[in-house]
Amino acid sequence: QVQLVESGGGLVQAGGSLRLSCAASGRTVSSYAMGWFRQAPGKEREFVATIRSGGSTYYADSAKGRFTISRDNAKNTVYLQMNSLKPEDTAVYYCAAVLLLGGGTLQRASSYDSWGQGTQVTVSS
């Protein structure tokens, strides 16, 4: 089982930037697909970005052009650089990991089997 710990959240003004980190332990995640999801109060958890073991990335439309997902396999860590933040980006951000993808897609939360505890991101207007 992979343990994931997110960090880097906080309060930022609209237009600002944050970099979230997801540190993995228990397993080397270089072969894992890693994803970022977010959940705002009263809303369902939604996909933000994913990065495959080979480095290919995919983003939600809301994240394209503003967010960048990356990984440092030497540090067993995945990052989410968030620029041009908007108040609607306010949410708890979760990191997730999966080694073997079944019939689902990486945009679905149910496809992942390891999750972090989340980090709060608040964007003020």
Side-chain angles (χ1 to χ4, degrees):
Q1 190 75 8
V2 176
Q3 289 79 46
L4 304 173
V5 178
E6 303 95 335
S7 61
L11 174 63
V12 65
Q13 289 187 336
S17 299
L18 284 174
R19 188 177 82 155
L20 305 183
S21 299
C22 172
S25 61
R27 298 281 178 88
T28 299
V29 294
S30 58
S31 299
Y32 285 64
M34 305 293 293
W36 285 97
F37 289 76
R38 67 187 183 186
Q39 188 167 16
K43 295 187 177 181
E44 294 187 353
R45 191 167 298 189
E46 65 174 5
F47 169 74
V48 176
T50 187
I51 184 167
R52 290 183 176 269
S53 58
S56 59
T57 59
Y58 186 79
Y59 297 90
D61 288 343
S62 59
K64 287 179 182 176
R66 300 188 300 126
F67 295 2
T68 303
I69 188 172
S70 62
R71 64 194 304 159
D72 185 337
N73 290 332
K75 295 183 178 180
N76 224 27
T77 298
V78 175
Y79 304 97
L80 184 68
Q81 177 67 44
M82 304 187 295
N83 300 326
S84 302
L85 283 162
K86 305 174 182 179
E88 51 263 43
D89 294 318
T90 295
V92 177
Y93 283 70
Y94 297 91
C95 176
V98 62
L99 179 59
L100 298 175
L101 183 63
T105 70
L106 290 174
Q107 293 93 285
R108 290 182 181 176
S110 59
S111 296
Y112 296 81
D113 51 25
S114 296
W115 290 85
Q117 83 290 346
T119 186
Q120 176 71 46
V121 171
T122 303
V123 184
S124 63
S125 58

PDB file of all heavy atoms in Angstrom, residues 10-16 38-41 43 46 66-67 83-93 120-125:
ATOM      1  N   GLY A  10      -2.951  26.438   1.093  1.00  0.00           N
ATOM      2  CA  GLY A  10      -2.980  27.658   1.884  1.00  0.00           C
ATOM      3  C   GLY A  10      -3.957  28.655   1.332  1.00  0.00           C
ATOM      4  O   GLY A  10      -4.799  28.326   0.479  1.00  0.00           O
ATOM      5  N   LEU A  11      -3.835  29.882   1.814  1.00  0.00           N
ATOM      6  CA  LEU A  11      -4.692  30.983   1.392  1.00  0.00           C
ATOM      7  C   LEU A  11      -3.905  31.869   0.432  1.00  0.00           C
ATOM      8  O   LEU A  11      -2.785  32.283   0.731  1.00  0.00           O
ATOM      9  CB  LEU A  11      -5.136  31.789   2.610  1.00  0.00           C
ATOM     10  CG  LEU A  11      -5.934  33.067   2.338  1.00  0.00           C
ATOM     11  CD1 LEU A  11      -7.250  32.746   1.650  1.00  0.00           C
ATOM     12  CD2 LEU A  11      -6.161  33.820   3.637  1.00  0.00           C
ATOM     13  N   VAL A  12      -4.495  32.157  -0.710  1.00  0.00           N
ATOM     14  CA  VAL A  12      -3.841  32.985  -1.719  1.00  0.00           C
ATOM     15  C   VAL A  12      -4.877  33.881  -2.372  1.00  0.00           C
ATOM     16  O   VAL A  12      -6.053  33.508  -2.448  1.00  0.00           O
ATOM     17  CB  VAL A  12      -3.123  32.095  -2.761  1.00  0.00           C
ATOM     18  CG1 VAL A  12      -4.114  31.253  -3.548  1.00  0.00           C
ATOM     19  CG2 VAL A  12      -2.245  32.914  -3.679  1.00  0.00           C
ATOM     20  N   GLN A  13      -4.439  35.029  -2.833  1.00  0.00           N
ATOM     21  CA  GLN A  13      -5.349  35.924  -3.538  1.00  0.00           C
ATOM     22  C   GLN A  13      -5.540  35.463  -4.976  1.00  0.00           C
ATOM     23  O   GLN A  13      -4.680  34.795  -5.559  1.00  0.00           O
ATOM     24  CB  GLN A  13      -4.804  37.345  -3.518  1.00  0.00           C
ATOM     25  CG  GLN A  13      -4.870  38.011  -2.168  1.00  0.00           C
ATOM     26  CD  GLN A  13      -4.489  39.479  -2.222  1.00  0.00           C
ATOM     27  OE1 GLN A  13      -3.771  39.914  -3.118  1.00  0.00           O
ATOM     28  NE2 GLN A  13      -4.975  40.257  -1.264  1.00  0.00           N
ATOM     29  N   ALA A  14      -6.673  35.846  -5.536  1.00  0.00           N
ATOM     30  CA  ALA A  14      -6.940  35.529  -6.941  1.00  0.00           C
ATOM     31  C   ALA A  14      -5.800  36.046  -7.806  1.00  0.00           C
ATOM     32  O   ALA A  14      -5.300  37.158  -7.596  1.00  0.00           O
ATOM     33  CB  ALA A  14      -8.261  36.135  -7.369  1.00  0.00           C
ATOM     34  N   GLY A  15      -5.395  35.222  -8.762  1.00  0.00           N
ATOM     35  CA  GLY A  15      -4.267  35.559  -9.619  1.00  0.00           C
ATOM     36  C   GLY A  15      -2.939  35.034  -9.106  1.00  0.00           C
ATOM     37  O   GLY A  15      -1.946  35.067  -9.840  1.00  0.00           O
ATOM     38  N   GLY A  16      -2.921  34.566  -7.875  1.00  0.00           N
ATOM     39  CA  GLY A  16      -1.694  34.065  -7.288  1.00  0.00           C
ATOM     40  C   GLY A  16      -1.400  32.624  -7.667  1.00  0.00           C
ATOM     41  O   GLY A  16      -2.105  32.016  -8.482  1.00  0.00           O
ATOM     42  N   ARG A  38      -9.949  17.373  -6.593  1.00  0.00           N
ATOM     43  CA  ARG A  38     -10.330  18.391  -5.622  1.00  0.00           C
ATOM     44  C   ARG A  38     -11.804  18.254  -5.292  1.00  0.00           C
ATOM     45  O   ARG A  38     -12.597  17.733  -6.087  1.00  0.00           O
ATOM     46  CB  ARG A  38     -10.019  19.784  -6.136  1.00  0.00           C
ATOM     47  CG  ARG A  38     -10.855  20.223  -7.326  1.00  0.00           C
ATOM     48  CD  ARG A  38     -10.349  21.559  -7.865  1.00  0.00           C
ATOM     49  NE  ARG A  38     -11.166  22.057  -8.956  1.00  0.00           N
ATOM     50  CZ  ARG A  38     -10.874  23.140  -9.669  1.00  0.00           C
ATOM     51  NH1 ARG A  38      -9.757  23.845  -9.409  1.00  0.00           N
ATOM     52  NH2 ARG A  38     -11.675  23.531 -10.648  1.00  0.00           N
ATOM     53  N   GLN A  39     -12.140  18.720  -4.099  1.00  0.00           N
ATOM     54  CA  GLN A  39     -13.528  18.667  -3.656  1.00  0.00           C
ATOM     55  C   GLN A  39     -13.865  19.941  -2.903  1.00  0.00           C
ATOM     56  O   GLN A  39     -13.253  20.239  -1.871  1.00  0.00           O
ATOM     57  CB  GLN A  39     -13.777  17.439  -2.772  1.00  0.00           C
ATOM     58  CG  GLN A  39     -15.235  17.211  -2.442  1.00  0.00           C
ATOM     59  CD  GLN A  39     -15.484  15.840  -1.856  1.00  0.00           C
ATOM     60  OE1 GLN A  39     -14.561  15.145  -1.412  1.00  0.00           O
ATOM     61  NE2 GLN A  39     -16.736  15.413  -1.869  1.00  0.00           N
ATOM     62  N   ALA A  40     -14.822  20.671  -3.445  1.00  0.00           N
ATOM     63  CA  ALA A  40     -15.312  21.879  -2.806  1.00  0.00           C
ATOM     64  C   ALA A  40     -16.493  21.522  -1.916  1.00  0.00           C
ATOM     65  O   ALA A  40     -17.150  20.497  -2.134  1.00  0.00           O
ATOM     66  CB  ALA A  40     -15.726  22.894  -3.863  1.00  0.00           C
ATOM     67  N   PRO A  41     -16.796  22.343  -0.921  1.00  0.00           N
ATOM     68  CA  PRO A  41     -17.927  22.051  -0.024  1.00  0.00           C
ATOM     69  C   PRO A  41     -19.224  21.867  -0.806  1.00  0.00           C
ATOM     70  O   PRO A  41     -19.564  22.680  -1.665  1.00  0.00           O
ATOM     71  CB  PRO A  41     -17.981  23.289   0.869  1.00  0.00           C
ATOM     72  CG  PRO A  41     -16.595  23.823   0.867  1.00  0.00           C
ATOM     73  CD  PRO A  41     -16.068  23.559  -0.506  1.00  0.00           C
ATOM     74  N   LYS A  43     -19.886  19.743  -3.018  1.00  0.00           N
ATOM     75  CA  LYS A  43     -19.723  19.238  -4.387  1.00  0.00           C
ATOM     76  C   LYS A  43     -19.016  17.894  -4.390  1.00  0.00           C
ATOM     77  O   LYS A  43     -18.369  17.515  -3.418  1.00  0.00           O
ATOM     78  CB  LYS A  43     -18.931  20.249  -5.225  1.00  0.00           C
ATOM     79  CG  LYS A  43     -19.654  21.574  -5.433  1.00  0.00           C
ATOM     80  CD  LYS A  43     -18.890  22.455  -6.397  1.00  0.00           C
ATOM     81  CE  LYS A  43     -19.637  23.758  -6.671  1.00  0.00           C
ATOM     82  NZ  LYS A  43     -18.901  24.621  -7.638  1.00  0.00           N
ATOM     83  N   GLU A  46     -13.743  16.081  -7.923  1.00  0.00           N
ATOM     84  CA  GLU A  46     -13.575  16.195  -9.359  1.00  0.00           C
ATOM     85  C   GLU A  46     -12.111  16.077  -9.761  1.00  0.00           C
ATOM     86  O   GLU A  46     -11.201  16.454  -9.016  1.00  0.00           O
ATOM     87  CB  GLU A  46     -14.138  17.528  -9.880  1.00  0.00           C
ATOM     88  CG  GLU A  46     -13.423  18.763  -9.391  1.00  0.00           C
ATOM     89  CD  GLU A  46     -13.945  20.032 -10.064  1.00  0.00           C
ATOM     90  OE1 GLU A  46     -14.914  19.972 -10.842  1.00  0.00           O
ATOM     91  OE2 GLU A  46     -13.361  21.096  -9.811  1.00  0.00           O
ATOM     92  N   ARG A  66      -3.320  26.608 -16.868  1.00  0.00           N
ATOM     93  CA  ARG A  66      -3.041  27.243 -15.573  1.00  0.00           C
ATOM     94  C   ARG A  66      -2.287  26.320 -14.624  1.00  0.00           C
ATOM     95  O   ARG A  66      -1.468  26.781 -13.834  1.00  0.00           O
ATOM     96  CB  ARG A  66      -4.343  27.702 -14.907  1.00  0.00           C
ATOM     97  CG  ARG A  66      -5.150  28.704 -15.710  1.00  0.00           C
ATOM     98  CD  ARG A  66      -6.310  29.251 -14.887  1.00  0.00           C
ATOM     99  NE  ARG A  66      -7.239  28.220 -14.448  1.00  0.00           N
ATOM    100  CZ  ARG A  66      -7.612  28.026 -13.188  1.00  0.00           C
ATOM    101  NH1 ARG A  66      -7.131  28.800 -12.232  1.00  0.00           N
ATOM    102  NH2 ARG A  66      -8.468  27.054 -12.882  1.00  0.00           N
ATOM    103  N   PHE A  67      -2.596  25.031 -14.672  1.00  0.00           N
ATOM    104  CA  PHE A  67      -1.992  24.064 -13.754  1.00  0.00           C
ATOM    105  C   PHE A  67      -1.016  23.174 -14.512  1.00  0.00           C
ATOM    106  O   PHE A  67      -1.221  22.870 -15.686  1.00  0.00           O
ATOM    107  CB  PHE A  67      -3.062  23.188 -13.118  1.00  0.00           C
ATOM    108  CG  PHE A  67      -4.040  23.895 -12.213  1.00  0.00           C
ATOM    109  CD1 PHE A  67      -3.987  25.263 -12.004  1.00  0.00           C
ATOM    110  CD2 PHE A  67      -5.019  23.168 -11.554  1.00  0.00           C
ATOM    111  CE1 PHE A  67      -4.882  25.901 -11.168  1.00  0.00           C
ATOM    112  CE2 PHE A  67      -5.924  23.780 -10.707  1.00  0.00           C
ATOM    113  CZ  PHE A  67      -5.862  25.158 -10.526  1.00  0.00           C
ATOM    114  N   ASN A  83      -1.191  28.167 -11.184  1.00  0.00           N
ATOM    115  CA  ASN A  83      -1.023  29.586 -11.462  1.00  0.00           C
ATOM    116  C   ASN A  83      -2.366  30.221 -11.800  1.00  0.00           C
ATOM    117  O   ASN A  83      -3.330  29.528 -12.104  1.00  0.00           O
ATOM    118  CB  ASN A  83      -0.046  29.786 -12.622  1.00  0.00           C
ATOM    119  CG  ASN A  83       1.330  29.233 -12.346  1.00  0.00           C
ATOM    120  OD1 ASN A  83       1.809  29.251 -11.201  1.00  0.00           O
ATOM    121  ND2 ASN A  83       2.002  28.738 -13.373  1.00  0.00           N
ATOM    122  N   SER A  84      -2.397  31.542 -11.758  1.00  0.00           N
ATOM    123  CA  SER A  84      -3.612  32.284 -12.106  1.00  0.00           C
ATOM    124  C   SER A  84      -4.828  31.726 -11.372  1.00  0.00           C
ATOM    125  O   SER A  84      -5.879  31.473 -11.966  1.00  0.00           O
ATOM    126  CB  SER A  84      -3.842  32.240 -13.626  1.00  0.00           C
ATOM    127  OG  SER A  84      -2.739  32.772 -14.320  1.00  0.00           O
ATOM    128  N   LEU A  85      -4.677  31.538 -10.087  1.00  0.00           N
ATOM    129  CA  LEU A  85      -5.742  30.922  -9.302  1.00  0.00           C
ATOM    130  C   LEU A  85      -6.973  31.800  -9.242  1.00  0.00           C
ATOM    131  O   LEU A  85      -6.894  33.038  -9.239  1.00  0.00           O
ATOM    132  CB  LEU A  85      -5.239  30.608  -7.900  1.00  0.00           C
ATOM    133  CG  LEU A  85      -4.340  29.366  -7.826  1.00  0.00           C
ATOM    134  CD1 LEU A  85      -3.529  29.357  -6.541  1.00  0.00           C
ATOM    135  CD2 LEU A  85      -5.179  28.106  -7.941  1.00  0.00           C
ATOM    136  N   LYS A  86      -8.116  31.130  -9.205  1.00  0.00           N
ATOM    137  CA  LYS A  86      -9.420  31.786  -9.176  1.00  0.00           C
ATOM    138  C   LYS A  86     -10.175  31.359  -7.912  1.00  0.00           C
ATOM    139  O   LYS A  86      -9.910  30.276  -7.369  1.00  0.00           O
ATOM    140  CB  LYS A  86     -10.241  31.378 -10.398  1.00  0.00           C
ATOM    141  CG  LYS A  86      -9.562  31.634 -11.728  1.00  0.00           C
ATOM    142  CD  LYS A  86     -10.396  31.065 -12.861  1.00  0.00           C
ATOM    143  CE  LYS A  86      -9.706  31.265 -14.205  1.00  0.00           C
ATOM    144  NZ  LYS A  86     -10.514  30.692 -15.322  1.00  0.00           N
ATOM    145  N   PRO A  87     -11.109  32.160  -7.446  1.00  0.00           N
ATOM    146  CA  PRO A  87     -11.890  31.749  -6.262  1.00  0.00           C
ATOM    147  C   PRO A  87     -12.563  30.391  -6.443  1.00  0.00           C
ATOM    148  O   PRO A  87     -12.692  29.628  -5.475  1.00  0.00           O
ATOM    149  CB  PRO A  87     -12.918  32.873  -6.132  1.00  0.00           C
ATOM    150  CG  PRO A  87     -12.233  34.072  -6.688  1.00  0.00           C
ATOM    151  CD  PRO A  87     -11.420  33.544  -7.840  1.00  0.00           C
ATOM    152  N   GLU A  88     -12.947  30.060  -7.655  1.00  0.00           N
ATOM    153  CA  GLU A  88     -13.598  28.767  -7.895  1.00  0.00           C
ATOM    154  C   GLU A  88     -12.630  27.588  -7.806  1.00  0.00           C
ATOM    155  O   GLU A  88     -13.060  26.431  -7.866  1.00  0.00           O
ATOM    156  CB  GLU A  88     -14.318  28.756  -9.245  1.00  0.00           C
ATOM    157  CG  GLU A  88     -13.468  29.210 -10.415  1.00  0.00           C
ATOM    158  CD  GLU A  88     -13.688  30.681 -10.747  1.00  0.00           C
ATOM    159  OE1 GLU A  88     -13.768  31.502  -9.814  1.00  0.00           O
ATOM    160  OE2 GLU A  88     -13.774  30.990 -11.961  1.00  0.00           O
ATOM    161  N   ASP A  89     -11.339  27.850  -7.645  1.00  0.00           N
ATOM    162  CA  ASP A  89     -10.371  26.781  -7.406  1.00  0.00           C
ATOM    163  C   ASP A  89     -10.325  26.387  -5.935  1.00  0.00           C
ATOM    164  O   ASP A  89      -9.649  25.424  -5.566  1.00  0.00           O
ATOM    165  CB  ASP A  89      -8.967  27.220  -7.844  1.00  0.00           C
ATOM    166  CG  ASP A  89      -8.861  27.430  -9.341  1.00  0.00           C
ATOM    167  OD1 ASP A  89      -9.415  26.613 -10.102  1.00  0.00           O
ATOM    168  OD2 ASP A  89      -8.208  28.416  -9.757  1.00  0.00           O
ATOM    169  N   THR A  90     -11.035  27.115  -5.093  1.00  0.00           N
ATOM    170  CA  THR A  90     -11.063  26.807  -3.670  1.00  0.00           C
ATOM    171  C   THR A  90     -11.643  25.416  -3.436  1.00  0.00           C
ATOM    172  O   THR A  90     -12.742  25.101  -3.893  1.00  0.00           O
ATOM    173  CB  THR A  90     -11.901  27.845  -2.910  1.00  0.00           C
ATOM    174  OG1 THR A  90     -11.250  29.118  -3.007  1.00  0.00           O
ATOM    175  CG2 THR A  90     -12.050  27.468  -1.450  1.00  0.00           C
ATOM    176  N   ALA A  91     -10.884  24.579  -2.739  1.00  0.00           N
ATOM    177  CA  ALA A  91     -11.288  23.192  -2.506  1.00  0.00           C
ATOM    178  C   ALA A  91     -10.216  22.501  -1.665  1.00  0.00           C
ATOM    179  O   ALA A  91      -9.128  23.054  -1.452  1.00  0.00           O
ATOM    180  CB  ALA A  91     -11.460  22.440  -3.825  1.00  0.00           C
ATOM    181  N   VAL A  92     -10.545  21.315  -1.218  1.00  0.00           N
ATOM    182  CA  VAL A  92      -9.525  20.422  -0.674  1.00  0.00           C
ATOM    183  C   VAL A  92      -8.964  19.631  -1.846  1.00  0.00           C
ATOM    184  O   VAL A  92      -9.716  19.046  -2.623  1.00  0.00           O
ATOM    185  CB  VAL A  92     -10.107  19.473   0.389  1.00  0.00           C
ATOM    186  CG1 VAL A  92      -9.021  18.512   0.882  1.00  0.00           C
ATOM    187  CG2 VAL A  92     -10.692  20.268   1.555  1.00  0.00           C
ATOM    188  N   TYR A  93      -7.653  19.634  -1.970  1.00  0.00           N
ATOM    189  CA  TYR A  93      -6.980  18.953  -3.074  1.00  0.00           C
ATOM    190  C   TYR A  93      -6.390  17.640  -2.566  1.00  0.00           C
ATOM    191  O   TYR A  93      -5.691  17.615  -1.552  1.00  0.00           O
ATOM    192  CB  TYR A  93      -5.892  19.838  -3.658  1.00  0.00           C
ATOM    193  CG  TYR A  93      -6.456  20.927  -4.544  1.00  0.00           C
ATOM    194  CD1 TYR A  93      -7.181  21.986  -4.010  1.00  0.00           C
ATOM    195  CD2 TYR A  93      -6.287  20.884  -5.925  1.00  0.00           C
ATOM    196  CE1 TYR A  93      -7.723  22.966  -4.828  1.00  0.00           C
ATOM    197  CE2 TYR A  93      -6.821  21.870  -6.748  1.00  0.00           C
ATOM    198  CZ  TYR A  93      -7.539  22.902  -6.189  1.00  0.00           C
ATOM    199  OH  TYR A  93      -8.081  23.878  -7.001  1.00  0.00           O
ATOM    200  N   GLN A 120      -5.939  21.904   2.000  1.00  0.00           N
ATOM    201  CA  GLN A 120      -6.915  22.950   1.689  1.00  0.00           C
ATOM    202  C   GLN A 120      -6.267  24.062   0.868  1.00  0.00           C
ATOM    203  O   GLN A 120      -5.195  24.571   1.219  1.00  0.00           O
ATOM    204  CB  GLN A 120      -7.486  23.540   2.978  1.00  0.00           C
ATOM    205  CG  GLN A 120      -8.439  24.700   2.773  1.00  0.00           C
ATOM    206  CD  GLN A 120      -9.765  24.283   2.173  1.00  0.00           C
ATOM    207  OE1 GLN A 120     -10.367  23.305   2.619  1.00  0.00           O
ATOM    208  NE2 GLN A 120     -10.230  25.025   1.160  1.00  0.00           N
ATOM    209  N   VAL A 121      -6.945  24.438  -0.198  1.00  0.00           N
ATOM    210  CA  VAL A 121      -6.556  25.594  -1.003  1.00  0.00           C
ATOM    211  C   VAL A 121      -7.718  26.576  -0.981  1.00  0.00           C
ATOM    212  O   VAL A 121      -8.846  26.209  -1.325  1.00  0.00           O
ATOM    213  CB  VAL A 121      -6.234  25.187  -2.452  1.00  0.00           C
ATOM    214  CG1 VAL A 121      -6.040  26.424  -3.327  1.00  0.00           C
ATOM    215  CG2 VAL A 121      -4.986  24.316  -2.487  1.00  0.00           C
ATOM    216  N   THR A 122      -7.436  27.785  -0.557  1.00  0.00           N
ATOM    217  CA  THR A 122      -8.462  28.822  -0.506  1.00  0.00           C
ATOM    218  C   THR A 122      -7.983  30.023  -1.308  1.00  0.00           C
ATOM    219  O   THR A 122      -6.893  30.548  -1.043  1.00  0.00           O
ATOM    220  CB  THR A 122      -8.757  29.244   0.937  1.00  0.00           C
ATOM    221  OG1 THR A 122      -9.162  28.097   1.695  1.00  0.00           O
ATOM    222  CG2 THR A 122      -9.872  30.289   0.971  1.00  0.00           C
ATOM    223  N   VAL A 123      -8.788  30.435  -2.279  1.00  0.00           N
ATOM    224  CA  VAL A 123      -8.436  31.563  -3.131  1.00  0.00           C
ATOM    225  C   VAL A 123      -9.427  32.684  -2.854  1.00  0.00           C
ATOM    226  O   VAL A 123     -10.633  32.524  -3.061  1.00  0.00           O
ATOM    227  CB  VAL A 123      -8.471  31.174  -4.618  1.00  0.00           C
ATOM    228  CG1 VAL A 123      -7.997  32.345  -5.475  1.00  0.00           C
ATOM    229  CG2 VAL A 123      -7.604  29.951  -4.868  1.00  0.00           C
ATOM    230  N   SER A 124      -8.920  33.794  -2.380  1.00  0.00           N
ATOM    231  CA  SER A 124      -9.783  34.924  -2.055  1.00  0.00           C
ATOM    232  C   SER A 124      -9.901  35.862  -3.256  1.00  0.00           C
ATOM    233  O   SER A 124      -8.974  36.014  -4.043  1.00  0.00           O
ATOM    234  CB  SER A 124      -9.222  35.680  -0.858  1.00  0.00           C
ATOM    235  OG  SER A 124      -7.951  36.216  -1.167  1.00  0.00           O
ATOM    236  N   SER A 125     -11.050  36.502  -3.355  1.00  0.00           N
ATOM    237  CA  SER A 125     -11.297  37.414  -4.487  1.00  0.00           C
ATOM    238  C   SER A 125     -10.829  38.818  -4.178  1.00  0.00           C
ATOM    239  O   SER A 125     -10.492  39.147  -3.063  1.00  0.00           O
ATOM    240  CB  SER A 125     -12.786  37.411  -4.837  1.00  0.00           C
ATOM    241  OG  SER A 125     -13.536  37.792  -3.714  1.00  0.00           O
TER     242      SER A 125
END
